[in-house]
Amino acid sequence: MEKIRIGILGYGNLGRGVELSVAQNPDMVLAGVFTRRDPALLTLQTPGAAAYHIDKAVQMQDAIDVLILCGGSATDLPVQTPEFTRYFNTVDSFDTHANIPGHYSTVDAIAKASDKVSVISVGWDPGMFSLNRMYAGAVLPNGKDYTFWGKGVSQGHSDAIRRIDGVQDARQYTIPVQQALDAVRSGGQPELTTREKHTRECFVVAKAGADLKKIEEEIKTMPKYFADYDTTVHFISQQELDEKHSGIPHGGFVIHTGVTGKNLEHHHVIEYSLTLESNPEFTASVLVAYARAAYRLAKEGSYGAKTVLDIPPAYLSAKSGAELRAELL
Amino acid sequence: MEKIRIGILGYGNLGRGVELSVAQNPDMVLAGVFTRRDPALLTLQTPGAAAYHIDKAVQMQDAIDVLILCGGSATDLPVQTPEFTRYFNTVDSFDTHANIPGHYSTVDAIAKASDKVSVISVGWDPGMFSLNRMYAGAVLPNGKDYTFWGKGVSQGHSDAIRRIDGVQDARQYTIPVQQALDAVRSGGQPELTTREKHTRECFVVAKAGADLKKIEEEIKTMPKYFADYDTTVHFISQQELDEKHSGIPHGGFVIHTGVTGKNLEHHHVIEYSLTLESNPEFTASVLVAYARAAYRLAKEGSYGAKTVLDIPPAYLSAKSGAELRAELL
C-alpha cells in the first residue's frame, strides 16, 4: 500500500497530537516535522521521523503529500496557509469564525493557481460542529440550532487571568448551563443570552501577598472575557492546580430542534455532543482524517480551498466505498 | 428562482411526509404524486398539485427533476428504484442493511447507463446514523461505535403482535437500556448482548374472551422479534391505545468512544442522538434534503448510485457555499 506522506508544521500541543494521530492510521506515514525553533531541540515520538527548520520545508515538497499546519489562528495561519499552499496540499484549523470567508478566498485563489488542495477551518468548531449545524438545518429547515461549549478549558481565558497583577497561574473552565440545555432540548426554541448559556469557573494561584479580593474583582469585570458571564473564582495552591487541572479537556453540544407536520405539530431534536479528554489531540485527529481527504481530492484534481462542508464523508475514511456500504451504512 | 420539481411515488405515511417537507422548502415544488391506487381517491395537501396513476409517471419525466420513492424495502424498492432510475433521478429509503451492497450495484449500473443520479438508503438509519458512524470512526479509528434505537414504535414488531390469535390491536416500543447507554458513554467499550442493549414494551388490545396469559407467552417467546429481549406486555383497551399510543415517535443514539495519546490515555466520546415525534415525517425530511443533492449532482453530470457517505454536505442545503461559510462554519 502506498502511504500518505504527512508533514507537520508547528510542534506545539496540536502538532504533537497530529504526530500521535498519524501513528494510529496505518495508511499514513510521518514525513517530517517543521519548526521555527532549532529542530535539534525537538524530541519526536515517531521512530525514524526527523524535525527540520521551517526554511527547509519547500525544498521537501516532493516528499510530502499533505502538510498539516498546526499554528495559531491569530497570527500564524493567516500567513502560513496562503504561503505553504503554493507548494503543498494543506490542512489548517483556522478558527476565527468572522474571518473565515476572507481566509477562504485568499487560500482558494492560491490553491487553484498552484494545483493544490487546502482544507481550511478543520477541527471540532469549526469542523464537526459545523457539519452538524449544517446537516440538521438542511433536514429540518423550520428549526433553530444552539451551540454550547464545555465543560472544558479555554486557553484564551486562562491566559487572560494569568496576565492580571498578582496571579501566578490559572485555569478557566467554560461550563454550559444545565437549565439552558434542558430548555433547548424541550424544543421550545428559547432566546438565550450569553449569561444564560454558559458559566465560567476559574482556578487561580495567587502570588504570595497578592490582594485576592482585587484579583477576583478584576476577573469578574473583565470585558468580553468574563463580564457577560456568571463567573466563579477559586483560589488554590499551585500544587492543587498541577494535580487536578493539568488536563486540556473540552467538548460541547450542537442541538437543533425543528418541526414538521401539517400544523407543525411534530417536534424533533437532533443532538450532537463531544466529551473530549484532550482538546488538542481530538482536533489533531480531525485534521488527520481531512488530510486523507485532501490527498484524495488532489489525486482527482479537485483543486482549491475546501471546508468540511464541501467534502464527501467517505473521503475521510481509510475504508473503500464498498466496505463502508457493507459495514457502516 | 428555478424551483426543483419533486415527484412522489407512493402515498403512505412516508409519501405524505415528503409532501409536507417539500412545502417547507421554498426552492422546491411538488410536481405530482404517483400511486398504484385510483388517484381520484387521494386527497393531497398541496394546493394545485395532482395525483396520477403510477403508469403515467414515465410520460411525465420531463416535468420532474427528482422522483422520491416512498415504497417499502421488502418488495417495493428492490423493483421500483432500478425501474424508475431509468427515467428519473431518484431518492429511496432502502433500509434492509444486508442487501444494500446488491441494491447499490444494481441501481448504479442503471443510473450510469441512463445518465441519472440515484441516492439510495436515505433516512436516519441508514442515513444520518450512518454518517455519524462514519465520521466518528474516521476521526477516532482506535475506537468502537454503538447504535441504540428508541424509545420508539417499531411497526414490524407491532404487526407481529397483531398477527397473534386473540389480539385486536397492538403497539410495540423499542427502548434502549439506560445502564447500557451509561456503560458505553463511560468509554469502557463493553461487549453488549442484544438483551443488554434494548428492552421491548408492548401495549396489547385483546379480543373479548381471549386468553391473556397465552398471548403474553406467545409474544415473549416469539423468535427473532422478542425471544432475545426482556419484554413487557400490558393489556389495555382500544380507547387507551388510540388515545395514548397513536403517534409514531422514534429516535436513538450513535455513540462512538475512542482513545488518543501516547499511551492511549485520553478517552473521547462522540454522541449523536435523535428524538423524533414522527418517524415518517423526519425520514421524509432527510429524503427531501437529499433530493436537492440529487438535483445538483445530476446538473453537474455526476451520474450513478450514491449514498449519504458519497455526497458533500453542502449539497443538501438551499444556502450557497459563501452563505454556509459565513453563517454556519
Side-chain angles (χ1 to χ4, degrees):
Chain A
M1 183 175 65
E2 193 190 328
K3 297 203 178 196
I4 305 171
R5 301 165 301 170
I6 302 290
I8 297 173
L9 183 66
Y11 200 63
N13 283 334
L14 187 59
R16 285 194 295 273
V18 168
E19 182 184 19
L20 292 168
S21 177
V22 166
Q24 284 197 3
N25 287 281
D27 62 335
M28 298 184 174
V29 61
L30 181 62
V33 172
F34 301 92
T35 177
R36 282 177 296 213
R37 293 177 274 173
D38 177 357
L41 298 178
L42 301 195
T43 308
L44 302 191
Q45 320 215 28
T46 307
Y52 307 90
H53 191 268
I54 191 171
D55 292 344
K56 296 271 185 279
V58 173
Q59 63 200 72
M60 285 179 66
Q61 64 173 308
D62 292 339
I64 290 169
D65 295 310
V66 184
L67 184 65
I68 301 182
L69 307 176
C70 298
S73 293
T75 56
D76 297 331
L77 298 175
V79 176
Q80 290 177 347
T81 310
E83 182 182 339
F84 285 93
T85 300
R86 295 183 197 282
Y87 309 102
F88 297 95
N89 301 306
T90 57
V91 180
D92 81 14
S93 64
F94 185 75
D95 66 359
T96 311
H97 286 260
N99 298 343
I100 286 173
H103 188 60
Y104 177 89
S105 299
T106 304
V107 175
D108 189 49
I110 291 169
K112 283 180 175 148
S114 314
D115 288 357
K116 296 287 182 268
V117 173
S118 178
V119 189
I120 65 157
S121 301
V122 173
W124 57 275
D125 196 359
M128 305 313 291
F129 273 17
S130 322
L131 280 171
N132 278 279
R133 286 187 286 260
M134 210 232 76
Y135 277 118
V139 169
L140 294 177
N142 197 331
K144 186 170 162 71
D145 65 58
Y146 297 80
T147 301
F148 292 88
W149 296 276
K151 182 180 176 174
V153 171
S154 164
Q155 302 283 14
H157 288 76
S158 301
D159 290 344
I161 299 172
R162 283 190 208 101
R163 285 192 294 266
I164 292 174
D165 204 39
V167 171
Q168 176 175 305
D169 204 350
R171 187 61 52 112
Q172 192 270 178
Y173 295 93
T174 304
I175 305 169
V177 175
Q178 188 61 44
Q179 212 174 340
L181 282 169
D182 293 343
V184 167
R185 287 185 185 125
S186 77
Q189 304 194 354
E191 292 294 331
L192 296 168
T193 63
T194 299
R195 189 177 299 276
E196 285 167 337
K197 286 183 72 185
H198 297 93
T199 56
R200 299 197 176 279
E201 188 169 22
C202 313
F203 293 87
V204 181
V205 181
K207 289 179 183 165
D211 181 343
L212 304 191
K213 271 260 171 268
K214 188 158 167 279
I215 291 173
E216 182 168 345
E217 183 65 18
E218 240 180 282
I219 293 172
K220 290 185 170 177
T221 57
M222 197 185 295
K224 285 190 198 167
Y225 284 86
F226 294 100
D228 297 336
Y229 299 85
D230 288 339
T231 301
T232 317
V233 177
H234 309 279
F235 289 97
I236 61 175
S237 68
Q238 184 72 53
Q239 189 188 344
E240 188 177 348
L241 191 83
D242 294 345
E243 279 174 16
K244 297 187 185 164
H245 304 284
S246 64
I248 319 180
H250 219 314
F253 305 80
V254 173
I255 306 176
H256 183 98
T257 65
V259 289
T260 63
K262 195 173 179 184
N263 304 302
L264 306 180
E265 70 274 28
H266 293 131
H267 293 70
H268 308 286
V269 182
I270 304 174
E271 178 165 339
Y272 179 79
S273 67
L274 295 172
T275 310
L276 312 175
E277 285 189 356
S278 167
N279 181 357
E281 286 178 8
F282 184 81
T283 301
S285 299
V286 183
L287 288 168
V288 167
Y290 276 96
R292 182 180 290 117
Y295 174 77
R296 292 177 177 174
L297 289 164
K299 279 235 162 181
E300 69 183 38
S302 297
Y303 303 127
K306 314 277 177 186
T307 76
V308 297
L309 305 180
D310 304 313
I311 296 177
Y315 280 43
L316 274 67
S317 174
K319 299 185 178 189
S320 71
E323 286 173 314
L324 291 173
R325 284 189 291 277
E327 297 169 18
L328 277 182
L329 198 65
Chain B
M1 184 176 62
E2 194 189 327
K3 297 202 177 195
I4 305 172
R5 299 165 304 169
I6 302 291
I8 297 173
L9 183 65
Y11 200 64
N13 283 335
L14 187 58
R16 285 193 295 273
V18 168
E19 182 184 19
L20 293 169
S21 178
V22 166
Q24 284 197 4
N25 286 281
D27 61 334
M28 298 184 173
V29 61
L30 181 62
V33 173
F34 301 93
T35 177
R36 281 177 297 212
R37 293 178 274 171
D38 177 356
L41 298 177
L42 301 194
T43 308
L44 303 191
Q45 319 215 29
T46 307
Y52 306 90
H53 191 268
I54 190 170
D55 292 345
K56 296 271 185 281
V58 173
Q59 62 201 74
M60 284 179 66
Q61 64 173 308
D62 293 338
I64 290 169
D65 295 310
V66 184
L67 184 64
I68 302 182
L69 308 176
C70 298
S73 293
T75 56
D76 298 331
L77 298 176
V79 177
Q80 290 178 346
T81 310
E83 183 183 338
F84 285 93
T85 300
R86 294 183 197 282
Y87 310 103
F88 297 95
N89 301 306
T90 57
V91 180
D92 82 14
S93 63
F94 185 75
D95 66 359
T96 311
H97 286 260
N99 298 342
I100 287 174
H103 188 61
Y104 177 90
S105 298
T106 305
V107 175
D108 189 48
I110 291 169
K112 282 180 176 150
S114 315
D115 287 357
K116 296 287 183 269
V117 173
S118 178
V119 190
I120 65 157
S121 301
V122 173
W124 58 274
D125 195 0
M128 304 313 291
F129 274 16
S130 322
L131 280 172
N132 278 279
R133 286 187 285 261
M134 211 233 74
Y135 276 118
V139 169
L140 294 178
N142 197 331
K144 189 170 161 68
D145 64 59
Y146 297 81
T147 301
F148 293 87
W149 297 276
K151 182 183 178 175
V153 171
S154 165
Q155 303 282 13
H157 287 77
S158 301
D159 290 345
I161 299 172
R162 283 190 208 102
R163 286 192 294 266
I164 293 175
D165 204 39
V167 170
Q168 176 174 307
D169 203 349
R171 187 60 52 111
Q172 192 270 179
Y173 295 92
T174 304
I175 305 169
V177 175
Q178 188 62 44
Q179 213 174 339
L181 281 169
D182 293 343
V184 168
R185 287 185 186 126
S186 77
Q189 304 194 355
E191 292 295 331
L192 296 168
T193 63
T194 299
R195 190 177 299 274
E196 287 167 336
K197 285 184 74 185
H198 298 92
T199 57
R200 299 196 176 279
E201 188 169 23
C202 313
F203 294 88
V204 181
V205 181
K207 289 178 182 164
D211 182 342
L212 305 191
K213 271 260 170 270
K214 189 158 166 279
I215 291 174
E216 180 167 347
E217 183 64 18
E218 243 182 279
I219 293 172
K220 289 185 171 176
T221 57
M222 196 185 295
K224 283 190 198 169
Y225 284 87
F226 294 100
D228 297 336
Y229 300 85
D230 288 339
T231 301
T232 316
V233 177
H234 309 279
F235 289 97
I236 61 175
S237 67
Q238 184 73 53
Q239 189 188 344
E240 187 177 349
L241 191 82
D242 295 344
E243 279 173 14
K244 297 187 185 162
H245 304 284
S246 64
I248 318 177
H250 219 313
F253 305 80
V254 174
I255 306 176
H256 183 97
T257 64
V259 289
T260 63
K262 195 174 180 184
N263 304 303
L264 306 180
E265 70 274 27
H266 293 130
H267 293 70
H268 309 286
V269 183
I270 304 174
E271 178 165 340
Y272 179 80
S273 68
L274 295 172
T275 309
L276 312 174
E277 285 189 355
S278 167
N279 182 357
E281 287 178 7
F282 184 81
T283 301
S285 300
V286 182
L287 288 169
V288 167
Y290 277 97
R292 182 180 291 118
Y295 174 77
R296 292 177 179 173
L297 289 163
K299 279 236 162 180
E300 69 183 38
S302 298
Y303 304 127
K306 316 278 176 184
T307 76
V308 298
L309 306 179
D310 303 314
I311 295 177
Y315 280 44
L316 275 65
S317 175
K319 298 185 179 189
S320 71
E323 284 173 315
L324 291 173
R325 285 190 291 277
E327 297 168 18
L328 277 182
L329 198 64

